[in-house]
Amino acid sequence: MARSTYIYLVNDGWGVVAAFTVKHELITWLRTNPSPEHCVRRMSDGGHTAGYTKIDITELLA
């Protein structure tokens, strides 16, 4: 099985509420648990790139 390159973290106003390594599972979770508070950040698995990249949720759910 192929290894994921990224870890997707879902934050609300308080902290991380979910984490995924498979993008389609993230999308399914976002559709099941909609909230305007959610913010998705992508981090390179293994720390090859420093920091996070913010992901536009509207593009994921389109």
Side-chain angles (χ1 to χ4, degrees):
M1 178 182 284
R3 186 163 184 257
S4 176
T5 305
Y6 298 108
I7 297 170
Y8 299 93
L9 302 173
V10 181
N11 294 315
D12 63 6
W14 299 93
V16 175
V17 293
F20 301 92
T21 57
V22 180
K23 190 173 184 178
H24 73 83
E25 290 179 357
L26 163 68
I27 294 168
T28 300
W29 189 88
L30 288 171
R31 288 183 176 151
T32 306
N33 303 283
S35 172
E37 302 277 324
H38 288 152
C39 170
V40 176
R41 295 176 188 234
R42 182 179 71 187
M43 182 176 86
S44 178
D45 188 13
H48 302 292
T49 306
Y52 298 96
T53 302
K54 187 173 179 180
I55 305 293
D56 185 2
I57 295 174
T58 56
E59 289 182 11
L60 289 176
L61 299 177

